[in-house]
Amino acid sequence: MNIILLGPPGAGKGTQARRLMDKRGMVQLSTGDMLREARSSGSAMGKRVAEVMDRGALVTDDIVIGLIEEKLAGGAPGGFIFDGFPRTLAQADALEGLTERMGQELSAVIEMQVDDEALIERVTGRFTCGNCGAVYHERTHPTAVEGVCDACGSGDLRKRADDNADSMRQRLMEYYKKTSPLLGYYHAKGLLRSIDGLAAMDVVERAIAELLDRA
Ligand code: AP5
């Protein structure tokens, strides 16, 4: 089963993708994580990507499609969770071509609905573990021991450079202009399912599980 988690920045896509990996053995493909890896490599491409991400704009389609193509080739017996991809109609078309070539298909596209005010609160309070990628929030989901990751015990807890109010306004604009048209695209294909992403994390997890059990 291959699914897309679709929603604005801070909707909870990464949080739920990690839970799906743990419970269902699926593989998360996050283009945001792949791009952060590229920027930390310090390559010329990584430097260009860093500038675009920090502004809150979208990286070009050819770069992200190339990254996804590479990861898809590895296969995933439990299926893929696309997190933050596709983000444009061109990326959606490319994904369709890639999955077709692999003899695979999408089972569902899950839209996580959260209002803008809550999104800004979520991203400005977010921090992540640089070692294992676990995601936290200063107020709603702190670590049990301050400064130590619950999942792996690392002290490498970081805030993202683009998790500030200015960049977030731009990211939301990009979402509404370029990504939200995908809701109509996948609705027309009969794949779109929507859930309330404002609910507590466990409630969102159960809603996704119910959708997948019916897909
Ligand atoms: P990316 O890394 O994909 O960021 P994003 O889509 O902006 O999404 P986020 O990671 O910010 O949020 P999320 O939905 O995963 O929320 P999370 O679970 O962390 O992309 C970053 C940049 O890379 C883009 O701006 C762009 O430049 C570039 N890029 C990436 N993909 C691209 C593509 N395909 N094409 C072009 N450019 C691309 O949760 C957020 C916070 O909320 C956390 O603190 C969490 O603890 C908390 N939280 C989660 N769920 C709940 C809940 N139910 N209740 C309360 N709090 C919650």
Side-chain angles (χ1 to χ4, degrees):
M1 171 178 287
N2 300 305
I3 65 164
I4 295 174
L5 295 182
L6 186 62
K13 304 180 295 293
T15 300
Q16 296 300 329
R18 290 180 70 83
R19 292 178 178 217
L20 285 167
M21 286 202 297
D22 291 345
K23 300 256 164 76
R24 294 184 180 242
M26 299 174 82
V27 169
Q28 175 192 21
L29 292 185
S30 158
T31 40
D33 287 347
M34 293 174 208
L35 291 166
R36 277 182 285 281
E37 209 174 293
R39 67 183 283 172
S40 66
S41 73
S43 65
M45 189 268 259
K47 284 182 187 147
R48 282 200 308 279
V49 160
E51 188 275 320
V52 174
M53 289 175 87
D54 290 351
R55 268 194 288 126
L58 291 189
V59 173
T60 54
D61 289 334
D62 55 336
I63 290 182
V64 286
I65 291 166
L67 289 170
I68 282 285
E69 195 168 3
E70 224 172 85
K71 297 282 179 183
L72 279 180
F80 289 108
I81 308 155
F82 296 97
D83 162 11
F85 180 91
R87 258 173 153 100
T88 62
L89 289 167
Q91 292 178 22
D93 282 338
L95 179 60
E96 188 167 346
L98 288 171
T99 46
E100 256 173 35
R101 279 212 292 283
M102 293 167 58
Q104 301 259 344
E105 57 181 25
L106 280 175
S107 308
V109 177
I110 300 175
E111 180 204 4
M112 303 177 69
Q113 298 175 327
V114 179
D115 62 51
D116 290 359
E117 217 172 293
L119 294 171
I120 292 171
E121 213 274 322
R122 283 188 185 182
V123 298
T124 51
R126 169 172 50 191
F127 61 99
T128 52
C129 175
N131 182 49
C132 74
V135 183
Y136 299 97
H137 188 277
E138 286 161 4
R139 198 176 52 76
T140 57
H141 183 35
T143 51
V145 177
E146 199 181 334
V148 180
C149 175
D150 293 349
C152 73
S154 165
D156 181 11
L157 299 175
R158 308 171 178 184
K159 285 194 77 88
R160 274 170 45 179
D162 58 344
D163 277 352
N164 58 71
D166 279 350
S167 172
M168 185 57 182
R169 269 190 288 277
Q170 181 60 31
R171 285 158 68 193
L172 282 172
M173 189 65 80
E174 291 283 77
Y175 177 78
Y176 292 118
K177 268 193 344 210
K178 297 176 184 166
T179 307
S180 64
L182 296 183
L183 297 171
Y185 176 96
Y186 286 118
H187 170 75
K189 289 181 180 288
L191 289 170
L192 187 70
R193 309 285 180 268
S194 299
I195 57 160
D196 176 14
L198 268 176
M201 291 178 207
D202 290 348
V203 176
V204 174
E205 183 182 342
R206 277 199 297 279
I208 293 175
E210 279 166 23
L211 282 180
L212 297 188
D213 290 343
R214 276 187 266 128

